[in-house]
Protein backbone atom coordinates (compact mmCIF):
# COMPACT_ATOMS: atom_id res chain seq x y z
CA UNK A 1 0.00 0.00 0.00
CA UNK A 2 2.82 2.42 0.84
CA UNK A 3 4.46 1.73 -2.52
CA UNK A 4 1.20 2.51 -4.34
CA UNK A 5 0.88 5.74 -2.38
CA UNK A 6 4.44 6.71 -3.27
CA UNK A 7 3.74 6.02 -6.95
CA UNK A 8 0.62 8.19 -6.87
CA UNK A 9 2.53 11.03 -5.19
CA UNK A 10 5.42 10.91 -7.64
CA UNK A 11 3.27 10.64 -10.76
CA UNK A 12 0.89 13.35 -9.49
CA UNK A 13 3.63 15.86 -8.74
CA UNK A 14 5.44 15.10 -12.02
CA UNK A 15 2.28 15.50 -14.10
CA UNK A 16 1.20 18.62 -12.21
CA UNK A 17 4.61 20.22 -12.82
CA UNK A 18 4.38 19.54 -16.55
CA UNK A 19 0.82 20.88 -16.79
CA UNK A 20 1.47 24.04 -14.76
CA UNK A 21 4.58 24.92 -16.77
CA UNK A 22 2.85 24.21 -20.07
CA UNK A 23 -0.29 26.23 -19.31
CA UNK A 24 0.89 29.14 -17.17
CA UNK A 25 4.45 29.82 -18.33
CA UNK A 26 6.12 30.95 -21.54
CA UNK A 27 9.55 30.66 -23.08
CA UNK A 28 11.90 28.05 -21.65
CA UNK A 29 9.47 27.00 -18.92
CA UNK A 30 6.88 25.94 -21.49
CA UNK A 31 9.51 24.61 -23.89
CA UNK A 32 11.13 22.29 -21.34
CA UNK A 33 8.01 21.50 -19.29
CA UNK A 34 8.32 17.72 -19.73
CA UNK A 35 12.05 17.65 -19.00
CA UNK A 36 11.57 19.78 -15.88
CA UNK A 37 8.69 17.56 -14.79
CA UNK A 38 10.90 14.49 -15.19
CA UNK A 39 13.69 16.08 -13.12
CA UNK A 40 11.17 16.98 -10.41
CA UNK A 41 9.88 13.40 -10.58
CA UNK A 42 13.39 12.03 -10.04
CA UNK A 43 13.81 14.29 -7.01
CA UNK A 44 10.48 13.29 -5.49
CA UNK A 45 11.19 9.61 -6.23
CA UNK A 46 14.47 9.90 -4.34
CA UNK A 47 12.68 11.64 -1.45
CA UNK A 48 10.06 8.89 -1.09
CA UNK A 49 12.62 6.11 -1.56
CA UNK A 50 11.62 4.53 -4.88
CA UNK A 51 14.61 5.69 -6.93
CA UNK A 52 17.14 2.84 -7.12
CA UNK A 53 20.48 4.60 -7.56
CA UNK A 54 22.38 1.33 -7.22
CA UNK A 55 21.06 0.27 -10.62
CA UNK A 56 23.17 2.97 -12.28
CA UNK A 57 26.35 1.00 -11.66
CA UNK A 58 26.12 -2.66 -12.78
CA UNK A 59 28.07 -5.39 -11.01
CA UNK A 60 30.57 -5.54 -13.89
CA UNK A 61 31.32 -1.84 -13.47
CA UNK A 62 30.71 1.03 -15.84
CA UNK A 63 33.05 2.98 -18.08
CA UNK A 64 32.58 6.71 -18.79
CA UNK A 65 33.11 6.32 -22.54
CA UNK A 66 32.69 3.38 -24.91
CA UNK A 67 32.56 2.98 -28.68
CA UNK A 68 29.77 0.80 -30.10
CA UNK A 69 30.67 -2.80 -30.85
CA UNK A 70 29.64 -4.35 -34.16
CA UNK A 71 29.76 -8.03 -33.20
CA UNK A 72 26.74 -9.18 -35.19
CA UNK A 73 27.25 -7.63 -38.62
CA UNK A 74 26.00 -9.90 -41.41
CA UNK A 75 22.95 -11.69 -42.72
CA UNK A 76 20.63 -14.24 -41.17
CA UNK A 77 17.20 -15.42 -42.29
CA UNK A 78 14.54 -17.32 -40.36
CA UNK A 79 11.36 -18.07 -42.30
CA UNK A 80 9.38 -18.35 -39.06
CA UNK A 81 10.00 -14.66 -38.40
CA UNK A 82 8.74 -13.54 -41.81
CA UNK A 83 5.05 -13.26 -40.87
CA UNK A 84 5.55 -11.25 -37.64
CA UNK A 85 8.12 -9.10 -39.46
CA UNK A 86 5.59 -8.23 -42.16
CA UNK A 87 2.94 -7.35 -39.57
CA UNK A 88 5.40 -5.22 -37.59
CA UNK A 89 6.63 -3.52 -40.79
CA UNK A 90 3.10 -2.59 -41.81
CA UNK A 91 2.32 -1.25 -38.34
CA UNK A 92 5.58 0.73 -38.25
CA UNK A 93 4.89 2.21 -41.69
CA UNK A 94 1.37 3.27 -40.74
CA UNK A 95 2.71 4.81 -37.54
CA UNK A 96 5.31 6.84 -39.45
CA UNK A 97 2.65 8.05 -41.88
CA UNK A 98 0.41 9.11 -39.00
CA UNK A 99 3.22 10.91 -37.19
CA UNK A 100 4.35 12.75 -40.32
CA UNK A 101 0.77 13.78 -41.09
CA UNK A 102 0.38 15.09 -37.55
CA UNK A 103 3.68 17.00 -37.85
CA UNK A 104 2.48 18.53 -41.11
CA UNK A 105 -0.71 19.67 -39.43
CA UNK A 106 1.22 21.30 -36.58
CA UNK A 107 3.34 23.29 -39.03
CA UNK A 108 0.54 24.38 -41.39
CA UNK A 109 -2.46 26.29 -40.07
CA UNK A 110 -4.22 25.76 -43.42
CA UNK A 111 -3.56 22.00 -43.44
CA UNK A 112 -6.31 19.98 -45.12
CA UNK A 113 -4.73 16.68 -46.17
CA UNK A 114 -1.29 15.02 -45.93
CA UNK A 115 1.49 15.88 -48.37
CA UNK A 116 2.37 12.58 -50.04
CA UNK A 117 5.82 13.77 -51.04
CA UNK A 118 6.69 14.34 -47.40
CA UNK A 119 5.08 11.04 -46.40
CA UNK A 120 7.09 9.14 -49.02
CA UNK A 121 10.32 10.76 -47.84
CA UNK A 122 9.62 9.97 -44.20
CA UNK A 123 8.68 6.34 -44.86
CA UNK A 124 11.75 5.86 -47.07
CA UNK A 125 14.06 7.37 -44.44
CA UNK A 126 12.59 5.14 -41.75
CA UNK A 127 13.03 2.10 -44.00
CA UNK A 128 16.67 2.91 -44.73
CA UNK A 129 17.32 3.35 -41.01
CA UNK A 130 15.67 -0.01 -40.30
CA UNK A 131 17.84 -1.74 -42.92
CA UNK A 132 20.96 -0.23 -41.34
CA UNK A 133 19.86 -1.39 -37.86
CA UNK A 134 19.30 -4.88 -39.23
CA UNK A 135 22.73 -5.03 -40.84
CA UNK A 136 24.58 -4.01 -37.68
CA UNK A 137 22.49 -6.19 -35.37
CA UNK A 138 20.83 -3.31 -33.53
CA UNK A 139 17.25 -2.77 -32.40
CA UNK A 140 14.86 -1.52 -35.04
CA UNK A 141 13.74 2.09 -34.82
CA UNK A 142 10.53 3.94 -35.60
CA UNK A 143 9.04 7.39 -35.16
CA UNK A 144 7.73 8.24 -31.69
CA UNK A 145 4.19 9.62 -31.59
CA UNK A 146 4.70 11.18 -28.17
CA UNK A 147 7.43 13.39 -29.62
CA UNK A 148 4.89 14.83 -32.05
CA UNK A 149 2.58 15.38 -29.09
CA UNK A 150 5.37 17.12 -27.23
CA UNK A 151 5.93 19.42 -30.21
CA UNK A 152 2.25 20.29 -30.13
CA UNK A 153 2.38 20.90 -26.39
CA UNK A 154 5.41 23.18 -26.46
CA UNK A 155 4.97 24.75 -29.89
CA UNK A 156 8.55 23.83 -30.81
CA UNK A 157 8.60 22.36 -34.31
CA UNK A 158 11.92 23.63 -35.70
CA UNK A 159 13.92 21.21 -37.82
CA UNK A 160 17.12 22.39 -36.11
CA UNK A 161 15.82 20.97 -32.82
CA UNK A 162 15.64 17.55 -34.46
CA UNK A 163 19.24 17.85 -35.60
CA UNK A 164 20.35 18.85 -32.10
CA UNK A 165 18.47 15.93 -30.53
CA UNK A 166 20.01 13.53 -33.06
CA UNK A 167 23.51 14.73 -32.16
CA UNK A 168 22.62 14.45 -28.47
CA UNK A 169 21.47 10.85 -28.90
CA UNK A 170 24.67 10.00 -30.79
CA UNK A 171 26.75 11.39 -27.91
CA UNK A 172 24.65 9.59 -25.30
CA UNK A 173 25.25 6.32 -27.15
CA UNK A 174 28.97 6.75 -26.40
CA UNK A 175 28.46 7.58 -22.70
CA UNK A 176 27.03 4.56 -20.80
CA UNK A 177 26.47 6.44 -17.48
CA UNK A 178 24.11 8.88 -19.24
CA UNK A 179 22.08 6.01 -20.66
CA UNK A 180 21.98 4.37 -17.23
CA UNK A 181 20.43 7.49 -15.69
CA UNK A 182 17.54 7.28 -18.15
CA UNK A 183 17.30 3.51 -17.75
CA UNK A 184 16.51 3.79 -14.04
CA UNK A 185 13.68 6.30 -14.61
CA UNK A 186 10.99 5.44 -12.03
CA UNK A 187 7.78 4.00 -13.47
CA UNK A 188 5.51 6.79 -12.12
CA UNK A 189 7.73 9.46 -13.72
CA UNK A 190 7.71 7.55 -17.00
CA UNK A 191 3.93 7.18 -16.77
CA UNK A 192 3.38 10.88 -16.10
CA UNK A 193 5.49 11.90 -19.10
CA UNK A 194 3.74 9.38 -21.35
CA UNK A 195 0.28 10.50 -20.17
CA UNK A 196 1.13 14.17 -20.74
CA UNK A 197 2.46 13.70 -24.27
CA UNK A 198 -0.21 11.13 -25.22
CA UNK A 199 -2.92 13.65 -24.33
CA UNK A 200 -1.74 15.91 -27.14
CA UNK A 201 -1.53 12.99 -29.55
CA UNK A 202 -5.15 12.13 -28.77
CA UNK A 203 -6.33 15.70 -29.30
Amino acid sequence: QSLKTAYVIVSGISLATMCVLNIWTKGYGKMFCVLIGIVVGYAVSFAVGILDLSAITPASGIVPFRLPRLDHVGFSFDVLLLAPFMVASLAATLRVMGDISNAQRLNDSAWVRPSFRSLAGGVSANGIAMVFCGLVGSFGINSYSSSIGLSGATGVTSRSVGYAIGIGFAILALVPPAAAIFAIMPLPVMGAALFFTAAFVLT
Side-chain angles (χ1 to χ4, degrees):
Q1 187 67 32
S2 60
L3 182 60
K4 291 181 179 180
T5 302
Y7 272 35
V8 171
I9 292 173
V10 172
S11 59
I13 293 177
S14 300
L15 183 59
T17 302
M18 297 174 195
C19 292
V20 168
L21 290 174
N22 182 259
I23 297 172
W24 287 292
T25 65
K26 296 181 180 180
Y28 290 115
K30 183 181 181 73
M31 193 180 305
F32 297 109
C33 59
V34 175
L35 182 60
I36 295 172
I38 289 175
V39 172
V40 170
Y42 268 87
V44 177
S45 298
F46 179 76
V48 299
I50 63 172
L51 180 60
D52 185 13
L53 293 176
S54 63
I56 294 179
T57 306
S60 58
I62 194 167
V63 293
F65 181 83
R66 185 180 66 185
L67 292 173
R69 295 173 56 184
L70 301 178
D71 295 338
H72 305 287
V73 176
F75 293 91
S76 177
F77 182 78
D78 187 343
V79 69
L80 295 177
L81 297 178
L82 184 59
F85 174 81
M86 293 175 64
V87 173
S89 298
L90 177 61
T93 301
L94 293 175
R95 176 175 179 167
V96 171
M97 293 175 65
D99 288 343
I100 294 173
S101 298
N102 200 9
Q104 292 175 2
R105 182 186 61 81
L106 290 174
N107 286 280
D108 184 4
S109 58
W111 186 87
V112 177
R113 62 183 59 87
S115 166
F116 289 99
R117 180 179 179 183
S118 178
L119 284 177
V123 171
S124 298
N126 190 77
I128 293 171
M130 287 285 286
V131 170
F132 176 78
C133 290
L135 290 175
V136 299
S138 175
F139 289 105
I141 61 173
N142 197 228
S143 62
Y144 190 52
S145 302
S146 293
S147 295
I148 309 299
L150 182 60
S151 294
T154 61
V156 179
T157 59
S158 173
R159 187 188 302 262
S160 59
V161 174
Y163 293 142
I165 291 174
I167 293 172
F169 279 157
I171 294 173
L172 287 175
L174 304 175
V175 185
I181 292 174
F182 286 102
I184 65 165
M185 181 181 294
L187 290 176
V189 179
M190 196 182 303
L194 179 61
F195 182 87
F196 180 84
T197 54
F200 288 89
V201 176
L202 292 174
T203 56

